Amino acid sequence: MTADVLICGAARTAFGRSEASGRQLAVDAVNAALQDAGVDWSRVGAAFGGSDSAGLADTLVSQVGLTGVPFVNVKNGCATGGSALISAVNAIRSGMADVVLAVGFDKHPRGAFDPRPEDWGLGEEYGSDGLMVTTQFFGMKIRRYMHDHGITPQTLARVAEKAYRNGELTPNAWRRKPVSAAEILDSGMVSDPLTRFMFCSPGAGAAALVLCSPEVARTLESPSVALRSAALRTRQFGSFEVFSPWVAGGELTSVSRAASAAAFEEAGIGPGDIDVCQLQDTESGAEVMHMAECGLCEDGEQERLIAAGATEIGGALPVNTDGGCIANGEPIGASGLRQVYEIVQQLRGRAGDRQVPGAPRTGFTHVYGAPGVSACTVLTR
């Protein structure tokens, strides 16, 4: 099967704290992605982008070029970057343009995210009772999962330990100092069973992708990566999600299961065919749960796989080779595109010290956000 959409340019900035504005970081990422692709801004026929708190993406044209390009703002929580990418894919498939930009960026203040209940369709009392604190949701969800499937706190610590170790190998990561599992377990309880060093932090950063048609890709020198599928889903009845004011009885549904299944079906390959993947890891329990929700293993199998090193860079299923959100932090708008950038580098063989051995040919990305949105992609070289 020939791919009808390719990624011909990819770039990201450093993530973490920055003196630069979120907009400037976005401009830097856009220019670097265009350079990587070997195309000028004037060649871009459509653009999609967004941030949660750093401004409107369409206003970036005042700095990258006033060409009249259709530029659509996207805002979809942690799935903003993934949503911008899906919009870009659809623009190429529809014939709207043959070169399209997707960009995500953000710059968050120090401290935890501070959402307002009314923005999520919830009453004011939901916030005054403390339920808008996302760390509590993450703690409740992983605690239930650990009870049901035999996952131990040691496994949560090993996930974070891997993230910091991979972050050390990633030049643009925020957290680049290894931290042992023992230190992680002893770093102070935030929301039982999750400790301080198991969480990612809000920060600043930007990522951009240039997508093109096969006809355009053949004229470019930079190696392109095929985007086999991109799927987005919202929550179904029975899901347990961030800012859910109640949980239905019976078996839980999962937006990540739905989005990943759609992505694999569209790509025509299965989870067992994936050589390297990026999973949303706002905290280490999320990576554990998303391994099963995305079909990469059975529920409960994570305990054995992680202990055996299967998710390490040299393992059978490398997960979050750049350190994920835990090592990079989470500028909301940029996070999903950072994931795709990392897979593009891995499939191109350009990941440096964190390169997965054996010339990986297939990659998968998964992003998840409130109030139950997930976007997934499958890429091949």
Side-chain angles (χ1 to χ4, degrees):
M1 180 177 67
T2 301
D4 56 356
V5 179
L6 296 102
I7 298 174
C8 56
R12 60 167 288 187
T13 66
F15 280 28
R17 301 287 177 220
S18 175
E19 295 297 321
S21 68
R23 284 174 48 85
Q24 185 56 54
L25 294 172
V27 170
D28 292 345
V30 168
N31 287 333
L34 291 169
Q35 183 177 14
D36 183 48
V39 300
D40 294 328
W41 171 245
S42 60
R43 185 68 179 80
V44 175
F48 301 85
S51 77
D52 183 72
S53 60
L56 299 173
D58 68 305
T59 64
L60 298 175
V61 298
S62 64
Q63 290 169 268
V64 295
L66 299 174
T67 62
V69 63
F71 203 135
V72 178
N73 291 311
V74 179
K75 188 171 183 178
N76 217 2
C78 297
T80 292
S83 301
L85 177 60
I86 288 171
S87 300
V89 169
N90 289 336
I92 291 179
R93 288 178 174 170
S94 70
M96 177 183 182
D98 58 6
V99 178
V100 181
L101 174 79
V103 59
F105 60 101
D106 252 308
K107 184 175 183 179
H108 303 295
R110 293 177 181 273
F113 293 121
D114 188 24
R116 303 186 310 164
E118 55 268 34
D119 291 340
W120 303 87
L122 300 169
E124 185 178 321
E125 72 283 353
Y126 197 79
S128 61
D129 288 344
L131 296 175
M132 293 301 289
V133 181
T134 56
T135 56
Q136 294 192 98
F137 162 77
F138 291 131
M140 287 188 291
K141 188 168 185 179
I142 187 59
R143 172 56 72 191
R144 176 173 179 163
Y145 192 87
M146 292 167 72
H147 173 271
D148 290 347
H149 300 293
I151 304 299
T152 63
Q154 183 66 28
T155 291
L156 302 184
R158 283 174 173 150
V159 168
E161 183 181 43
K162 170 180 65 69
Y164 294 118
R165 187 164 55 248
N166 290 353
E168 184 183 23
L169 305 176
T170 306
N172 282 325
W174 184 1
R175 312 296 188 189
R176 303 200 61 211
K177 180 181 178 181
V179 184
S180 71
E183 291 177 279
I184 292 165
L185 287 169
D186 196 39
S187 61
M189 191 64 67
V190 176
S191 291
D192 189 21
L194 300 168
T195 65
R196 179 185 174 193
F197 289 172
M198 292 178 184
F199 282 94
C200 75
S201 300
L209 303 173
V210 179
L211 285 68
C212 67
S213 66
E215 292 75 19
V216 171
R218 286 192 285 270
T219 69
L220 303 176
E221 294 183 6
S222 182
S224 296
V225 169
L227 185 59
R228 295 291 179 183
S229 65
L232 183 142
R233 294 291 186 272
T234 58
R235 65 195 185 281
Q236 298 170 307
F237 182 80
S239 62
F240 183 32
E241 312 293 356
V242 184
F243 309 149
S244 296
W246 58 279
V247 182
E251 185 176 352
L252 294 176
T253 62
S254 163
V255 65
S256 295
R257 289 188 193 277
S260 59
F264 283 122
E265 181 178 5
E266 181 185 342
I269 65 175
D273 299 313
I274 297 301
D275 296 326
V276 56
C277 67
Q278 293 280 107
L279 303 177
Q280 180 83 351
D281 63 330
T282 38
E283 35 72 35
S284 54
E287 180 174 318
V288 171
M289 291 183 287
H290 291 147
M291 286 175 64
E293 289 183 350
C294 293
L296 300 166
C297 70
E298 296 296 323
D299 287 308
E301 195 177 5
Q302 303 97 317
E303 185 80 4
R304 175 185 62 81
L305 292 173
I306 292 169
T311 59
E312 301 286 345
I313 289 174
L317 181 65
V319 177
N320 293 334
T321 49
D322 64 351
C325 289
I326 293 175
N328 285 275
E330 188 181 26
I332 285 180
S335 198
L337 297 184
R338 169 192 57 79
Q339 294 181 329
V340 179
Y341 165 85
E342 176 65 13
I343 296 299
V344 169
Q345 298 308 98
Q346 290 287 347
L347 299 188
R348 284 172 161 181
R350 295 179 176 179
D353 292 338
R354 65 188 187 281
Q355 178 66 50
V356 169
R361 300 188 61 85
T362 59
F364 172 79
T365 72
H366 156 271
V367 66
Y368 164 86
V373 182
S374 181
C376 297
T377 70
V378 175
L379 303 97
T380 63
R381 66 175 177 89

